[in-house]
Amino acid sequence: MKFNIATLPGDGIGPEVIEEGKKVLKEAEKIVTGFSLEFEKYDAGNGHYLKTGVTLPESVFQACKDSNAIFMGSIGLPKAGMPVVVDERGTEVTGHVMFKLRFDLNLFAGVRPIKLYPGVVSPLANVKDIDFVVLRENCEGLFASYGAGIILYDDIAADTQIITRKGTEKIVDFGFQLALKRNGRLSDGKKAVTCADKHNVFRSFAFFRKIYDEVAERYEGQVEKDYAIIDALTLWMVQTPQNFDVIVTENMFGDIISDLAASFVGGMGMSPSGDIGHNYGMFQPSHGTAPTIAGKGIANPVATILSGKMMLDWLGDKHDNKAAKTAANLVEKAVSNTLGLGIKTFDIGGTADTSQFGDAVIAEMRKL
């Protein structure tokens, strides 16, 4: 089975890390067989905007829509020292790519795995294992105001948060389905979905929790319910990350806590992500363009490689292709082994450059 992958390298270190991701995935295809990946490169991002005045050409959006999956590098500042690239409204143009794809393809589930791999030191004291998922509703919440909002008389600014029944049902159900596939929280092995909100202050979050409870009833006896007010959650995540399995939350909250959680496991270079809907999927590292190191060949490609692993897993589920899922497991095992051998990039205490790390992962894949 052939999968057509729309590839958006983007800006800054994006092209460097996406190249390693492609290299590893093509090797997985070769080793496992039973599927093939056809990568087609497209230009989009802030650099493209500076050249053409368009961040995401309509032809590129259509190509993404027609593909089996989207594999993205990073979108943002292309070079160090540049001013932020904004549109005529004063809004950073990065969102022209991200939100166009998320909103128009209904990629409602922002999936951010948080996992500590061998050889990577966590800044948290006395923590050896971390493995949970932050699940962020991707199309509603405060981000629904993107491109809207008001500024009145240069004195008052306002953005509106939107929480809908349909959107909340989808993301919560996704969370429970995800929990069913996982091994449960590390503390006791129980499968659980934590609802993170601010229901004690805002009616919109009280509504979010109400819908959560309704959906949770369908999974009674299979997955435990759990609750956390968002400010308390940030404390508990730091103190006892092993007490979480899947955390489901609103868009802005998810944006913030997923970056916090990434710091537990080595930083943004270790943090993959998937923006997933019922029909489309986009996979990319959670980090930005890191313009200060762009072009130096030292960027950490782990987040991109593991995002590729997520893409294979999703394609395997969507198309009932066991070979793609086998390849996904192979990629993750090879990354884990490579890190366990002490082969790491400089951001996590190693000396390997971007390409050397990708080569090391491939070498491990060939041994497995």
Side-chain angles (χ1 to χ4, degrees):
M1 179 178 289
K2 183 173 82 171
F3 298 119
N4 295 308
I5 311 299
T7 309
L8 309 179
D11 305 305
I13 63 171
E16 299 166 60
V17 294
I18 208 74
E19 191 59 35
E20 296 310 302
K22 287 167 55 182
K23 185 169 77 177
V24 169
L25 294 182
K26 289 300 287 184
E27 185 65 22
E29 168 197 318
K30 181 180 176 181
I31 292 171
V32 175
T33 72
F35 72 97
S36 64
L37 301 170
E38 188 71 32
F39 292 97
E40 189 68 36
K41 175 185 172 182
Y42 298 98
D43 289 330
N46 292 21
H48 191 73
Y49 180 87
L50 292 172
K51 295 174 185 175
T52 66
V54 178
T55 315
L56 180 66
E58 186 59 33
S59 60
V60 174
F61 172 75
Q62 190 59 49
C64 291
K65 190 174 181 180
D66 292 340
S67 69
N68 293 111
I70 304 163
F71 196 32
M72 184 184 289
S74 54
I75 305 294
L77 288 181
K79 298 177 183 178
M82 291 182 62
V84 175
V85 183
V86 298
D87 60 20
E88 65 279 0
R89 294 171 59 91
T91 302
E92 192 171 347
V93 300
T94 302
H96 294 190
V97 177
M98 301 305 302
F99 299 125
K100 171 73 172 176
L101 291 168
R102 286 177 183 169
F103 294 170
D104 287 21
L105 299 182
N106 196 18
L107 306 178
F108 63 87
V111 184
R112 294 278 293 268
I114 306 298
K115 186 172 182 178
L116 184 64
Y117 285 91
V120 180
V121 179
S122 174
L124 302 183
N126 302 316
V127 173
K128 294 181 180 179
D129 295 303
I130 298 173
D131 187 356
F132 64 94
V133 177
V134 174
L135 182 59
R136 165 188 177 185
E137 199 294 315
N138 245 356
C139 298
E140 298 185 354
L142 195 55
F143 280 70
S145 281
Y146 178 77
I150 62 165
I151 297 178
L152 187 62
Y153 305 128
D154 199 32
D155 188 52
I156 299 171
D159 291 299
T160 302
Q161 173 161 291
I162 302 295
I163 301 289
T164 71
R165 170 173 286 278
K166 182 177 180 180
T168 306
E169 285 177 342
K170 287 194 300 183
I171 194 63
V172 173
D173 187 70
F174 190 103
F176 277 88
Q177 288 289 327
L178 180 59
L180 286 174
K181 298 176 184 177
R182 288 174 45 82
N183 295 322
R185 56 195 175 202
L186 293 177
S187 60
D188 59 11
K190 293 181 178 179
K191 300 178 187 294
V193 177
T194 302
C195 177
D197 56 48
K198 193 68 175 174
H199 78 286
N200 56 325
V201 176
F202 298 103
R203 293 185 69 183
S204 59
F205 283 120
F207 183 67
F208 186 94
R209 181 172 289 208
K210 174 179 180 289
I211 304 306
Y212 167 89
D213 282 335
E214 292 175 6
V215 174
E217 288 181 6
R218 307 173 199 162
Y219 297 91
E220 187 173 357
Q222 302 178 79
V223 181
E224 287 196 357
K225 292 191 295 182
D226 186 39
Y227 306 95
I229 295 175
I230 191 67
D231 44 328
L233 176 69
T234 59
L235 173 69
W236 297 337
M237 284 171 56
V238 172
Q239 291 181 325
T240 53
Q242 65 272 15
N243 284 351
F244 298 101
D245 183 13
V246 176
I247 300 171
V248 64
T249 191
E250 176 269 339
N251 210 335
M252 177 67 88
F253 286 168
D255 191 21
I256 295 167
I257 66 171
S258 57
D259 280 13
L260 169 64
S263 73
F264 304 168
V265 297
M268 301 304 286
M270 297 296 299
S271 182
S273 78
D275 293 331
I276 298 171
H278 289 147
N279 299 310
Y280 303 98
M282 177 170 67
F283 303 86
Q284 60 177 327
S286 298
H287 60 66
T289 58
T292 57
I293 62 169
K296 296 181 179 180
I298 58 174
N300 187 344
V302 170
T304 306
I305 294 170
L306 291 178
S307 296
K309 176 265 179 190
M310 293 176 68
M311 180 172 71
L312 289 176
D313 212 16
W314 180 76
L315 288 168
D317 283 337
K318 190 173 190 300
H319 298 278
D320 194 25
N321 187 290
K322 293 182 180 179
K325 293 186 69 66
T326 298
N329 292 332
L330 175 66
V331 169
E332 184 176 26
K333 181 64 175 174
V335 168
S336 181
N337 287 359
T338 301
L339 293 166
L341 291 170
I343 301 171
K344 301 180 287 187
T345 48
F346 85 100
D347 58 308
I348 51 174
T351 59
D353 65 28
T354 308
S355 182
Q356 286 170 343
F357 187 87
D359 291 342
V361 171
I362 288 173
E364 285 301 309
M365 289 169 62
R366 291 171 178 168
K367 296 177 187 177
L368 294 170

